[in-house]
Amino acid sequence: MEQRRLSTDDDLRRISRVWLGPPGKTLPFAARYQAYGVFGVCLLLELMFRVSVLGQPFAISNLIKDGVPAWVITLVVMHFVDHERPIGSIPQMVLNTARAGRTRNPATRTKAVTGTLRIRHNPWRDTR
Amino acid sequence: MTKERDPKPAKAPLTAREIYGNLLFTGQYVQTWYQVAGVQWPFRPHNERIDWTMGAAAQYAQLTGHRIIERTTTRPYPVRDWAEAFNARTPQPLPLPDGHDWASYLISQQNAMFDVSLAEKEVYLGVRFANRTGAAKLFDTVVKRTTSRERDRVQEGADRITQIISGGSLAARPLTGTHMQWLMHRSIGLGLPGPAGLVDGVTHWLDDDLNTFTDGVWYEDTKLGQTVKVIARRAGQEIVRHVAVLTLGKIGDALLPENGRHEWLRTLDLLPFPVERVSIMDVEPVAQTKKKYGKVLLAIRDQQRHHHVDHGLDVPDDLARKAAHARAIDAELTDGLDAERVRLVGWHRLAVSGATAEECLARVRAVRDLYQNRITVEHPKGQLALLREFIPGEPLALNAYTRRMPVMFYTAGAGCAVAQLGDQVGDRIATTCGTTTRPVMFDPWLNPERHDASGMYPVIGVQGSGKSTLLAKLALQAVRRNIRTVLLDPSVTFAGLARLPWLAPYLRVIDVRRSPAGTLNPYAVVRNPDPGQYDVEQEWRDDWKVAQAERWQLVQDIVGMLIPPEEKNRPETRRAVSLAMRAVPNSPESTLGLLVKALTELPDPQAQIIADVLRDVEDMTTEGPLFFGEPQPTDSLTNSLITVFTLAGLNLPQPGTPRENWTAAQVVAIPVVHLASYLASQTIYGGARNARKLLVLDEMHFLAQWASGKAFFARLARDTRKWNAVVLAAGQNPADALSLAVENLIGGAFIGLIDDEDTAVEALKLLQLPGGMGYEKVLTRLSPVGHRDDYREFLMLDAEKRVEKIRVTFDGDDAELLAAVNTRATGVLR
């Protein structure tokens, strides 16, 4: 009896898309495109916070100052991101963990009920 | 206690809002739920497994655009229901003394069943097939229920789904109200004991009614905790289970069909504890898949170019390999069958539970060990959110660990595989041990009583494979049910039953070799049918003719057994014996002495030689008078509840030894076994026709070598139906029973250890399995050498032609039985 080998397609999702730098100018590190995106978003949020909340004007020096924490945050976030846990799943993971029992009272109980509390924000929203 | 911990527990409403029949409405969408038929998997021919896999894949492939949820749960074996059914089939159990009585026996059987994992797998399938309209959602918000118009609208879509999956491999049935209740209870109370008191006839649950499922169930989790506590209050008692939800990561390649290892989902059945599974999968349209993988290919090309052209660096090796894989998939998407083209994008979660967190985590390790080197098993944080995914209607909680696979890869996992065996009403004879551990119930009289099928069950195996202990166990079970039992005991095994003091009053051991002369008269052991036991005269006439032919053949064979082979094979001998037999009336009153006399009266010198040989047997062997004497009345022989015809001192030749090398004692031993088998078989025809009877024959291989022996078994097998009898015939050679199997004259079979692969091929034919699939090795490794002496392993073929490996254990009274009849343990017999 001839056996047929079957495989999943997961292999194709495990492609590290890295940006090595502008053509001909290879950077000393290879970061994923996503890391640049995360860094950019963090930097933008920090700048927005500085400008809109703290009321400081936009300046190049601030950009450099904010770059360091943005870089650190990016490192932390990208530590959790891999092919199995894409970046889109990170907020869900954080939310699921955050909604778990409070550390101050580890015996928090959650009862699955319906009835009067039927209209309620549902954190388990479908991802589709 | 609960209030002390948290006076205001947080509430997490179910996403489900209403259940109507098998339709489940949430705020946004509608699901329809089914139960998928379990497919018998063990010892199934490869081509049938492939057909099932392709068929199921084709059915799933038709659900493109839908999200499907395959939910596997377990149902504890209904031990109490079994005990009631079994008790009902035993109206007058044997009144044994206290401790061995029927009630104690039933209790011990039930306790033994509670001691092993007896969960039966059930596979449910949910299909998310429609979204709710804005108007329906608005109405639901105000009135808190669906409208009949909305239900009618979605019903059309549900019917289409039903049409796709109700036939073929999946053979899914829409869930009834009771099944829906079971699924909801099992899913909300994950890991808890099964709910009691499901309500029949309820098919509609509105919003508030859903509290039925959630009331009394509590979840308790900790931040970054590895398990969730699921707590229930039932009958004033708090039941706690610790549940861990795992998710499947990288899955290694699979083979279709798998050979030598279990399919990737069916592997879970090997675990000695129940595992709940939910696979949430989107059936992706081919065009979408094609587009997606087209982009992947572009990304690969871009990376190759970026490395090589932009930076002059070496291209990572895996990119070229993945590009080739992507092209292969692209070709498959273009040209393949739907079962190969359609992709499932999904998330596969497993839930294991334990009474303590430690037990639960030990089970997590067991799952990881099971999948070692095959599938990565992840144990993510946020356990409560993941646990809720098991509840019908709940959305996906985490889109990490996504698995993408052809639909055929998924169905090749055989998640719907089951290993069923036996009936649900018989006595517990064993547990399955091939994949799952489930009790095997077996009532051999179901075949003649309900299915108009044969009650003949061959038991085959080499010496020491456990045939005799299995037969003794089945015989004792019959005796407990007050069923008249006769055992033929050539190897002096069953005579050991006399060592059980509580059985002794019902037991009679007859030493055939020391019985009166004429006990084994070949003319008398084939009785003419009694016309008083026939309603139709023609039926009696037919059976009378069969008896005449059988007697003729038997006498001819017995003479052939008693004379040397070189004489037997001469044509003159056959002619002389035939002529002499015609001179003797073919009736139970005739004797071999008359035959000898007829031979001496023939003018043929060869007839004189035969007559002299027969006279020598009569005069010079201990058994001679048994064959040659006047017929003895046999009615009183089997009037005990259990009768053992023992052949103590009989010197049987080793199977396979050439007849030329047999001693004189071994030569006469063969006709003794033959005729004693006939004598024992007379029990079938005594008593009321409908009364259950059991006949146990050992050393069947000595009979099957002769035409009369073959005819004997064929007649017995046919008569089991008419006389409500069960015949357990043990032997060492599977080929002996093959002709019976071909003629559909066996109701099942038990095959024990076989010591060579050629014989194993014959045994597989008896089990109606093809050879060359590796099953031969299973037979040669049953009850491995050095195994504990308190169990024996067999392959069992049941009435529905299902085959599975079973382990016959000996506990309670059976341990005493084993000690009494175990030839290996005592070493004194044979």
Side-chain angles (χ1 to χ4, degrees):
Chain A
M1 174 65 69
E2 194 185 330
Q3 285 180 308
R4 185 169 167 184
R5 182 167 287 276
L6 304 171
S7 58
T8 63
D9 300 346
D10 294 336
D11 203 26
L12 295 184
R13 310 297 295 190
R14 292 190 205 103
I15 297 165
S16 290
R17 300 181 65 187
V18 294
W19 190 63
L20 302 168
K25 294 182 176 59
T26 310
L27 294 172
F29 55 86
R32 284 171 278 176
Y33 284 114
Q34 285 179 338
Y36 291 106
V38 172
F39 177 78
V41 170
C42 291
L43 194 63
L44 188 68
L45 289 174
E46 283 178 41
L47 286 174
M48 283 168 65
F49 180 78
R50 197 179 281 281
V51 173
S52 58
V53 179
L54 303 180
Q56 295 175 357
F58 175 78
I60 296 294
S61 58
N62 287 342
L63 197 66
I64 296 166
K65 259 190 275 178
D66 291 341
V68 177
W71 178 63
V72 172
I73 293 169
T74 304
L75 281 182
V76 172
V77 170
M78 293 312 287
H79 175 74
F80 291 101
V81 174
D82 58 21
H83 304 304
E84 290 292 349
R85 292 172 298 197
I87 200 157
S89 69
I90 299 298
Q92 276 183 319
M93 287 171 81
V94 172
L95 199 62
N96 289 346
T97 311
R99 286 186 58 87
R102 291 181 291 272
T103 47
R104 262 186 289 171
N105 178 11
T108 298
R109 287 180 171 206
T110 307
K111 186 186 176 190
V113 293
T114 56
T116 50
L117 267 179
R118 51 178 298 150
I119 309 293
R120 182 189 160 102
H121 167 66
N122 182 5
W124 291 280
R125 184 180 299 143
D126 195 346
T127 55
R128 284 191 78 187
Chain B
M1 196 168 124
T2 306
K3 283 184 179 175
E4 275 174 28
R5 286 190 199 163
D6 188 353
K8 285 186 181 174
K11 291 175 182 177
L14 289 178
T15 307
R17 292 191 170 197
E18 187 173 325
I19 296 172
Y20 184 80
N22 69 328
L23 299 175
L24 186 145
F25 294 84
T26 70
Q28 304 295 325
Y29 48 83
V30 191
Q31 293 177 344
T32 172
W33 280 87
Y34 303 85
Q35 184 172 14
V36 179
V39 54
Q40 184 69 17
W41 206 261
F43 298 97
R44 190 118 189 237
H46 284 335
N47 58 339
E48 289 182 20
R49 288 180 177 177
I50 294 171
D51 287 349
W52 185 90
T53 304
M54 299 286 284
Q59 285 178 293
Y60 280 133
Q62 290 180 61
L63 299 174
T64 44
H66 297 299
R67 168 166 286 186
I68 59 177
I69 303 111
E70 195 174 280
R71 176 80 177 80
T72 305
T73 183
T74 55
R75 189 182 287 262
Y77 194 87
V79 176
R80 187 194 161 129
D81 293 348
W82 163 79
E84 285 173 358
F86 182 47
N87 190 47
R89 277 189 60 79
T90 310
Q92 288 180 310
L94 188 66
L96 288 169
D98 284 351
H100 304 284
D101 60 303
W102 182 247
S104 309
Y105 179 66
L106 274 187
I107 291 167
S108 70
Q109 287 289 68
Q110 290 176 74
N111 286 338
M113 289 160 73
F114 285 129
D115 285 346
V116 286
S117 168
L118 301 173
E120 293 190 78
K121 187 163 78 176
E122 290 184 339
V123 182
Y124 295 91
L125 181 68
V127 182
R128 180 176 146 178
F129 68 102
N131 289 326
R132 300 187 68 185
T133 61
K137 283 193 269 192
L138 184 67
F139 186 83
D140 190 1
T141 308
V142 179
V143 188
K144 294 186 178 179
R145 62 179 301 162
T146 56
T147 60
S148 59
R149 190 174 166 184
E150 184 189 9
R151 291 197 295 270
D152 291 345
R153 182 182 69 85
V154 299
Q155 188 62 52
E156 286 174 26
D159 289 345
R160 275 197 298 276
I161 305 289
T162 308
Q163 224 169 17
I164 293 168
I165 60 174
S166 62
S169 295
L170 296 176
R173 292 190 317 257
L175 284 196
T176 61
T178 317
H179 278 102
M180 192 55 117
Q181 286 177 66
W182 176 263
L183 179 62
M184 291 300 286
H185 277 300
R186 287 299 269 178
S187 303
I188 290 169
L190 213 61
L192 292 172
L198 299 181
V199 188
D200 285 336
V202 180
T203 55
H204 195 180
W205 288 268
L206 291 172
D207 188 63
D208 286 344
D209 303 329
L210 293 175
N211 286 323
T212 318
F213 306 123
T214 55
D215 278 353
V217 178
W218 300 77
Y219 300 143
E220 185 178 312
D221 70 337
T222 54
K223 213 170 269 303
L224 303 178
Q226 292 183 295
T227 61
V228 177
K229 249 173 157 179
V230 179
I231 304 158
R233 282 189 187 283
R234 289 192 191 157
Q237 280 192 324
E238 194 172 77
I239 305 169
V240 179
R241 290 287 182 275
H242 294 258
V243 182
V245 182
L246 310 170
T247 185
L248 296 187
K250 191 178 177 186
I251 302 175
D253 287 357
L255 292 172
L256 180 68
E258 290 284 2
N259 199 358
R261 66 173 190 176
H262 289 84
E263 290 71 12
W264 66 278
L265 285 172
R266 183 179 162 238
T267 299
L268 290 168
D269 298 343
L270 289 170
L271 292 166
F273 48 83
V275 178
E276 303 266 336
R277 175 172 67 87
V278 63
S279 293
I280 303 167
M281 299 172 287
D282 294 329
V283 189
E284 202 171 63
V286 175
Q288 199 178 327
T289 312
K290 214 167 158 53
K291 195 172 162 189
K292 203 187 277 179
Y293 289 142
K295 281 184 184 170
V296 169
L297 197 55
L298 285 179
I300 293 171
R301 295 283 180 240
D302 176 62
Q303 282 293 299
Q304 286 174 319
R305 186 193 50 76
H306 188 54
H307 278 79
H308 187 64
V309 179
D310 291 354
H311 293 278
L313 296 173
D314 292 338
V315 178
D317 289 343
D318 70 318
L319 285 177
R321 186 171 51 78
K322 285 170 181 168
H325 189 185
R327 281 196 303 275
I329 290 177
D330 190 56
E332 194 176 77
L333 291 173
T334 309
D335 303 326
L337 301 167
D338 273 356
E340 298 161 329
R341 295 185 331 149
V342 175
R343 260 51 187 174
L344 294 175
V345 180
W347 300 265
H348 307 273
R349 319 277 195 224
L350 310 174
V352 292
S353 59
T356 62
E358 289 73 29
E359 185 184 38
C360 177
L361 293 175
R363 290 179 170 186
V364 169
R365 284 193 293 277
V367 174
R368 283 193 160 139
D369 289 347
L370 182 77
Y371 276 138
Q372 213 171 23
N373 301 327
R374 198 168 177 190
I375 297 176
T376 315
V377 178
E378 306 284 352
H379 189 172
K381 301 285 181 251
Q383 285 279 299
L384 179 57
L386 294 170
L387 183 136
R388 287 182 60 114
E389 288 181 349
F390 286 77
I391 304 171
E394 295 295 312
L396 188 72
L398 179 65
N399 68 350
Y401 309 107
T402 312
R403 306 267 67 88
R404 298 165 185 82
M405 58 184 74
V407 65
M408 198 161 72
F409 185 96
Y410 180 72
T411 54
C416 302
V418 294
Q420 289 173 335
L421 193 72
D423 50 60
Q424 300 291 314
V425 294
D427 206 344
R428 184 182 71 98
I429 61 159
T431 47
T432 55
C433 63
T435 319
T436 52
T437 305
R438 291 185 58 251
V440 180
M441 311 308 185
F442 176 55
D443 187 337
W445 284 271
L446 268 188
N447 261 356
E449 287 178 10
R450 284 199 198 163
H451 309 311
D452 193 27
S454 171
M456 165 75 85
Y457 301 87
V459 181
I460 309 291
V462 297
Q463 198 173 352
S465 59
K467 299 186 300 290
S468 302
T469 42
L470 172 65
L471 294 176
K473 182 177 172 118
L474 296 175
L476 183 61
Q477 288 184 342
V479 171
R480 285 185 184 286
R481 300 172 71 186
N482 218 343
I483 293 169
R484 202 145 63 89
T485 301
V486 174
L487 302 104
L488 177 70
D489 189 21
S491 46
V492 202
T493 304
F494 306 127
L497 291 171
R499 294 178 196 158
L500 303 176
W502 42 274
L503 196 63
Y506 305 97
L507 177 74
R508 181 175 177 200
V509 179
I510 297 171
D511 187 346
V512 176
R513 293 178 70 236
R514 283 164 187 75
S515 296
T519 302
L520 298 182
N521 178 336
Y523 283 98
V525 292
V526 181
R527 293 205 302 195
N528 283 335
D530 176 7
Q533 288 188 314
Y534 288 83
D535 299 327
V536 184
E537 190 187 340
Q538 188 56 43
E539 204 180 316
W540 169 76
R541 286 194 184 285
D542 292 345
D543 281 0
W544 188 85
K545 280 181 189 163
V546 169
Q548 293 293 99
E550 198 175 343
R551 190 181 299 110
W552 179 275
Q553 183 69 58
L554 177 65
V555 172
Q556 205 171 42
D557 278 356
I558 294 296
V559 171
M561 289 173 207
L562 293 173
I563 60 178
E566 61 274 14
E567 296 294 345
K568 173 182 169 267
N569 294 332
R570 295 176 65 164
E572 299 89 342
T573 305
R574 274 189 232 135
R575 193 174 57 239
V577 172
S578 183
L579 285 171
M581 283 178 66
R582 285 179 202 288
V584 177
N586 184 357
S587 78
E589 289 77 32
S590 297
T591 64
L592 277 187
L594 288 177
L595 185 71
V596 173
K597 193 176 164 217
L599 279 167
T600 52
E601 287 168 2
L602 287 175
D604 185 355
Q606 184 63 22
Q608 305 311 314
I609 295 171
I610 305 301
D612 289 345
V613 172
L614 291 178
R615 264 198 293 266
D616 288 348
V617 170
E618 183 181 6
D619 298 339
M620 297 183 196
T621 61
T622 318
E623 291 83 3
L626 294 172
F627 309 138
F628 286 85
E630 292 290 327
Q632 295 293 318
T634 54
D635 292 343
S636 64
L637 285 180
T638 56
N639 55 7
S640 297
L641 181 68
I642 174 163
T643 310
V644 179
F645 288 99
T646 180
L647 303 176
L650 197 69
N651 184 4
L652 282 164
Q654 283 295 321
T657 315
R659 196 167 169 222
E660 293 76 18
N661 300 343
W662 291 2
T663 63
Q666 286 174 335
V667 168
V668 290
I670 302 299
V672 170
V673 175
H674 256 77
L675 295 168
S677 303
Y678 274 81
L679 184 69
S681 75
Q682 289 183 2
T683 180
I684 288 183
Y685 307 100
R689 201 163 163 153
N690 290 332
R692 293 172 186 161
K693 303 130 196 142
L694 173 65
L695 174 63
V696 178
L697 300 173
D698 209 350
E699 310 289 5
M700 182 182 81
H701 43 278
F702 288 115
L703 277 78
Q705 294 162 3
W706 295 85
S708 59
K710 289 193 179 94
F712 170 69
F713 282 115
R715 187 249 298 167
L716 275 186
R718 270 189 281 271
D719 285 353
T720 51
R721 270 181 280 199
K722 295 183 203 163
W723 296 86
N724 199 13
V726 164
V727 179
L728 300 170
Q732 295 186 18
N733 191 356
D736 297 343
L738 217 50
S739 59
L740 295 178
V742 170
E743 291 179 53
N744 207 16
L745 286 176
I746 61 169
F750 297 88
I751 311 289
L753 177 69
I754 301 284
D755 52 4
D756 71 274
E757 290 205 7
D758 291 337
T759 316
V761 172
E762 297 285 305
L764 291 178
K765 284 182 194 163
L766 185 60
L767 294 171
Q768 303 179 13
L769 294 174
M773 290 170 55
Y775 297 149
E776 295 84 352
K777 282 199 167 51
V778 178
L779 283 167
T780 56
R781 290 173 189 166
L782 290 169
S783 311
V785 175
H787 78 284
R788 290 203 337 267
D789 207 47
D790 59 350
Y791 73 82
R792 303 284 188 277
E793 289 176 345
F794 292 88
L795 290 193
M796 177 182 169
L797 170 76
D798 73 1
E800 293 183 39
K801 309 298 177 205
R802 298 175 295 202
V803 178
E804 177 59 313
K805 188 172 158 187
I806 62 166
R807 178 168 291 184
V808 181
T809 50
F810 297 87
D811 40 41
D813 286 349
D814 286 347
E816 281 183 60
L817 173 78
L818 184 68
V821 301
N822 192 354
T823 51
R824 257 198 312 195
T826 59
V828 295
L829 302 166
R830 183 146 185 180

